[in-house]
């Protein structure tokens, strides 16, 4: 048995994550710290098997259903990859983006796609107050159809980004950090700047920064959230961040200065997002079908953004951090890169290039994050199953 | 060996369905009664294996090609599911909806997609006189290419709904009834109302009611077909329904009163459809590219529909049936539900809710119906193969 | 062991094709003659196993990513089929057709789709000077991400048609000829007419004829390239054709007369293409977003085409060939057939029908061509692996 793999299984064995079996993965703050630790160990264990060429298939057949209500390349491929390595075939439900379905339609569609679905992955991040609610409606629908004897098993859900959280992204982010710093314990006391950044585009989701501030403090990281006035996140999630920080003995600070957040940071994660209040307004305009109102709001928000072009990560700004250019700069990608993908953006091209390989590695954890979520939700005995997969040693890629 | 499974194999062993091997499944009335019984037993046997967690894969690799010339979520997922449980990967041929291909184009395309296709599923229900004809053209094309030595095997076809029949739906319907009534023999003498219902939309396919009236009488069910004057089905299929009823000693009646059809019924299946003559006209207008004519016809048909808003299933109407609110109400879904999905529709919301779980169960048989069609068309010895699958007992979903 | 299979393995054993492992397949003229011979033997060996019902899966899971920047049915299905027979699941990256991505975007996207991709297939044939360059950018990107430790393996690339070459088509073409003539040695001295043909449509790719003139002379075939004045191919590829002919002792001639090319030919391959200079101009107009210019160019080219309607294969013209109507007529399909798919086209309907079965057989080799490219790029020991697959004798399609 591989030593790293062995250590991961030992870690897993010491944790209580029994609540994850046959559950869903929608919001990290609904998961216990042990469940999250189990998730990270499982993701690393699956990666370990895969990189040693050992098959991680637990499904001989079965479907992984995806429903993307927003464009996606990265997450789509990550879901396809994570499902495929477990043996599931991707089947996309293309409902169109504009539709906010509810009630009978959701219940019926959720059931109709689930007769042989083992997992359902949903991305619904565009409408504040709607994305997570929609996922819960789907989750309740399939639970009900299972209870009614319509479904012979209940497919589990994985959020591929809602209006509130982006758990597969934040799991990839922390897996990257765990592996960079040589263990989750080493994250304690690290200072992280989660900051807004200028973008020439409009309406980027809040779920990325929200997923970070609600997760990192739980493992003892000192988080500073920075954004211009008016660019608030959902207030209840900022509260959760503070509460988690208090519980773990970490700090959670807010500021309206990017520079202040960068000061002494070990890790900086600057990214654009839209103001919460504006997104709430937009959701209502969409619900009313008010196209004129949407256009007016867009114009207003772009003008508001434009007054904050100085929120850009430069090498000069990086000098303020704990390790200068060596400090970890993260981004879920794609980034708006000044002088490359746009005139003024979230980050200067030289800083982006300095940290490009790191960001690619960060992204590389997402398929494993998704696979681990599915694995823990579908396996009653994850440790035994991982052991059995290693013992079987079936080639993923056969070579005589 | 599981007792239910054992019984199903015994049933299968007593039937002659040898004609299904390497054949297609386009119209149920082209199949013998024994072939249909074999289909139902096979579907239940595959479901039995699946629900016991036993792999039903007979294909190590291979493609199931789908061609949808009309929107579909339910049937698309059912085809994906049914194919996947046998080990086939879905590959969709997206030709666009408006095109009525024929001749060289059909032969060429059919061959080009078939080099590694084991099965081809087609939905082409919009144009009267065209859908089934198109499927036969595809079937003949691949047969010819096989005979010519171009294909090393002949992919078999499954109709996923034509202008004439909707065999995967009617198979799901009767499987539901067989399982509800505890055996196909118990369907004999049951009174079924296949009736038109009002819908605010236009041009729903005739193949749903046609698939029911041509199938249910074969198993001794007494069918009453009801619709307003002018909403005729294809006359040759109504003739077939009568002929089958006569052969099995059942009754087949026609009426222009929904109430009369409901009178004493054990099962009611009300659903909207378009008048045959209008659909024929529409097909010609499409062929001529007469957009104005299509719009005018649509307007005319909606107006004609609107005079029949009383064709709606209410609790009051359900009282006329044999078992009142307990009588089975079926619908292939999605239904137009009054006060829920539209102002006036096919069914009242309370009746729909009373029977929702039943309709979901009805739908749950469709993936198995499709899998069984493919199974019988691709397996020379279905009984032996099913036995071998059970004996192998490979986990569909591995758990250590 | 099957005799034919045995012979193919013996052929393979005598060849040096070690350079193909972990390499890409973009241009046939970058491959050695031995590598090409190995490709043909491998394609035939995989076909032999498949036709004997023996599984050719070497992947237990894994993704084959496709990126089509031009419409495609045939090549799309061939890639799906070839991938599927090796055990890979197709995952399409739908980037939209109009976009010519470059730089950071290509590197990032290439990496993001590759975390679990074993192979990437790209079709990018519309823009002269761009297609092959784009593929190289993707190839370099994934190589870099592998070197950087971002990817744990490097996915290999297969060109599904570029602006320069169409290697999966030309491989299918030569496999058809090898099998028709009973061996690659029998191609030597055969006279092939690669000629332009009239089409009422505009801008057909140059890569088809270019792939033929650069490949066939390498195996001793005497190629005559014919087209009207002004319909030049890329000059450097015409030079390569001449060089290969000189090396193998074959002849390579150019003419502006279709009749002259047909004179005494054993094989004729007439197909429309666009003039090189015009395609270069079009690429620039697209880059400039000059819609008016594109429309004007299209009009001009259609008018230019129209002066060459006599470049059509007729039975009369076939009489000029070595074997009259028995001479092999090839086309990658779909063809513009006079009186069938258009008024005046590339070929008369009777000639097309005479040779239809042959063209279908020609096409049937494409999935195997693709599978063989992937196989040789992913297998360190192809001979041993093929032997092991045969010895394992796992059913592709299980029958009890």
């Amino acid at each position: 048995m591989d030593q790293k793999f062995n250590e991961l299984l030992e870690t897993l064995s010491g944790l209580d994550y029994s609540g994850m079996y046959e559950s869903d993965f929608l919001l990290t703050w609904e998961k216990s710290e042990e469940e999250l630790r189990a998730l990270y160990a499982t993701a690393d264990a699956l990666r370990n098997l895969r990189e040693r060429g050992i098959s991680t298939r637990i499904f001989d057949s079965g479907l992984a259903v995806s429903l993307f209500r927003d464009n996606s390349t990265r997450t789509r491929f990550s879901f396809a990859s994570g499902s495929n390595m477990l043996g599931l075939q991707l089947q996309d439900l293309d409902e169109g983006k504009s539709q906010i379905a509810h009630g009978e339609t959701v219940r019926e569609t959720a059931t109709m796609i689930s007769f042989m679905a083992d997992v359902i992955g949903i991305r619904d991040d565009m409408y504040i107050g709607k994305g997570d609610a929609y996922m819960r409606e789907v989750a309740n629908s399939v639970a009900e159809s299972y209870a009614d004897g319509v479904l012979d098993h209940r497919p589990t859900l994985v959020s591929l980004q809602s209006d509130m959280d982006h758990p597969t992204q934040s799991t990839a982010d922390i897996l990257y950090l765990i592996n960079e710093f040589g263990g989750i314990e080493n994250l304690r006391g690290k200072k992280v700047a989660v900051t807004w950044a200028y973008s020439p585009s409009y309406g980027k989701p809040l779920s990325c920064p929200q997923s970070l501030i609600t997760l990192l403090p739980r493992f003892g990281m000192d988080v500073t959230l920075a954004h211009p006035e008016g660019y608030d996140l959902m207030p209840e999630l900022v509260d959760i961040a503070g509460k988690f920080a208090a519980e773990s003995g970490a700090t959670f600070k807010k500021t309206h200065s990017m520079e202040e957040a960068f000061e002494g940071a070990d890790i900086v994660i600057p990214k654009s997002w839209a103001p919460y209040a504006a997104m709430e307004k937009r959701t209502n305009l969409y619900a009313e079908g008010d196209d004129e109102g949407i256009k007016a709001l867009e114009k207003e928000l772009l003008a508001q953004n434009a007054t904050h072009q100085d929120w850009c990560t430069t090498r000069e700004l990086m000098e303020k951090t704990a390790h200068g250019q060596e400090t970890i700069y993260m981004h879920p990608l794609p980034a708006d890169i000044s002088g490359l993908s746009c005139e003024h953006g979230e980050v200067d091209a030289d800083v982006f290039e300095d940290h490009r390989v790191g960001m690619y590695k960060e992204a590389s954890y997402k398929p494993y994050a998704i696979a681990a979520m599915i694995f823990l939700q579908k396996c009653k005995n994850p440790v035994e199953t991982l052991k059995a997969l290693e013992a079987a040693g079936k080639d993923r890629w056969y070579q005589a």
Side-chain angles (χ1 to χ4, degrees), chain A:
Chain A
M1 196 189 266
D2 181 86
Q3 194 191 331
K4 171 87 189 289
F5 186 72
N6 202 23
E7 285 166 20
L8 291 165
L9 291 200
E10 271 172 34
T11 299
L12 257 184
S13 299
L15 297 166
D16 177 11
Y17 52 92
S18 51
M20 295 181 85
Y21 181 56
E22 295 192 336
S23 177
D24 302 314
F25 211 111
L26 302 185
L27 304 169
T28 63
W29 51 91
E30 290 181 346
K31 301 295 174 187
S32 72
E33 199 193 305
E34 294 205 30
E35 288 171 347
L36 294 177
R37 285 174 185 263
L39 175 65
Y40 309 146
T42 302
D44 276 335
L46 288 169
R47 185 166 194 153
N48 176 286
L49 288 176
R50 166 102 187 178
E51 291 187 356
R52 285 192 284 142
I54 297 171
S55 172
T56 51
R57 283 189 73 159
I58 53 171
F59 292 100
D60 178 59
S61 65
L63 297 185
V65 177
S66 61
L67 172 44
F68 284 89
R69 296 183 143 188
D70 194 3
N71 286 326
S72 167
T73 293
R74 258 148 270 274
T75 303
R76 191 182 286 276
F77 269 76
S78 291
F79 188 65
S81 300
S83 305
N84 173 264
M85 73 178 281
L86 299 179
L88 298 174
Q89 183 171 319
L90 188 67
Q91 178 66 17
D92 191 49
L93 174 63
D94 187 3
E95 272 199 320
K97 277 181 252 168
S98 58
Q99 197 184 0
I100 309 184
H102 53 84
E104 188 46 40
T105 307
V106 172
R107 181 160 59 179
E108 192 171 302
T109 303
T111 304
M112 296 302 130
I113 63 174
S114 293
F115 296 127
M116 291 192 191
D118 290 293
V119 62
I120 301 173
I122 305 179
R123 178 165 201 167
D124 190 341
D125 60 340
M126 287 176 72
Y127 305 111
I128 286 289
K130 305 288 182 189
D132 184 68
Y134 173 77
M135 295 181 195
R136 270 161 219 282
E137 218 175 331
V138 172
N140 291 339
S141 297
V142 293
E144 194 184 340
S145 286
Y146 175 61
D148 287 339
V150 171
L151 300 179
D152 61 48
H153 69 295
R154 182 184 172 282
T156 59
L157 266 72
V158 171
S159 163
L160 301 175
Q161 188 166 10
S162 70
D163 54 326
M164 300 177 78
D165 199 8
H166 194 350
T168 63
Q169 181 64 46
S170 67
T171 301
D173 293 343
I174 200 168
L175 280 165
Y176 171 63
L177 292 174
I178 289 167
N179 282 280
E180 282 297 305
F181 286 100
I184 198 164
E185 299 315 325
N186 298 336
L187 302 186
R188 184 163 298 277
K190 293 288 180 297
K191 194 171 179 308
V192 189
V194 175
T195 94
W196 190 85
Y198 169 74
S199 160
S201 87
Y202 146 81
K204 299 211 174 185
L206 286 73
S207 47
C208 280
Q210 289 172 170
S211 73
L212 291 167
I213 61 165
T214 54
L215 180 67
L216 303 182
R218 300 181 75 175
F219 298 97
M221 303 185 89
D222 296 324
V223 172
T224 303
L225 171 66
H227 56 75
E229 287 195 50
Y231 284 79
D232 295 303
L233 298 176
M234 294 172 85
E236 66 268 36
L237 301 187
V238 176
D239 289 349
I240 286 178
K243 190 179 64 78
F244 277 140
E247 280 175 19
S248 79
T251 63
F252 175 66
K253 291 180 203 156
K254 289 181 285 181
T255 169
H256 291 142
S257 156
M258 194 178 190
E259 211 161 303
E260 195 184 317
F262 268 54
E263 202 77 49
D266 298 295
I267 299 139
V268 295
I269 320 181
K271 188 186 181 310
S272 194
W273 66 78
Y276 170 50
M279 287 301 94
E280 222 173 10
K281 197 172 164 189
R282 188 175 71 153
T283 298
N284 295 334
L285 292 170
Y286 268 103
E288 294 156 14
D290 182 353
D291 288 344
E292 286 308 303
I294 291 166
K295 274 182 207 161
L297 179 64
E298 178 171 346
K299 212 171 157 183
E300 189 187 305
L301 286 170
L302 285 173
Q304 188 186 350
N305 267 15
T307 64
H308 303 295
Q309 287 195 2
D310 53 322
W311 287 68
C312 175
T313 305
T314 60
R315 279 202 177 155
E316 200 186 341
L317 196 59
M318 287 298 288
E319 283 304 321
K320 309 275 179 187
T321 62
H323 320 283
Q325 309 309 322
E326 301 299 312
T327 287
I328 292 176
Y329 167 93
M330 292 169 73
H331 195 291
L333 304 177
D336 289 317
I337 308 167
S338 301
L340 203 64
S341 56
C342 55
E343 202 185 331
H344 296 284
E346 299 172 300
V347 57
D348 274 0
D350 52 7
V351 176
F352 186 85
E353 181 55 28
D354 289 346
H355 299 274
R356 190 176 49 75
V357 170
M359 286 180 282
Y360 285 6
K361 285 185 180 170
E362 177 190 353
S364 76
Y365 287 96
K366 200 185 270 186
Y368 296 103
I370 293 171
M373 288 175 186
I374 300 174
F375 194 87
L376 291 172
Q377 291 173 186
K378 307 302 285 188
C379 270
K380 196 156 190 172
N381 299 302
V383 173
E384 291 312 308
T385 304
L386 286 166
K387 264 187 202 162
L389 287 171
E390 200 205 26
K394 185 169 200 292
D395 292 317
R396 188 206 54 102
W397 167 7
Y398 174 72
Q399 298 258 28

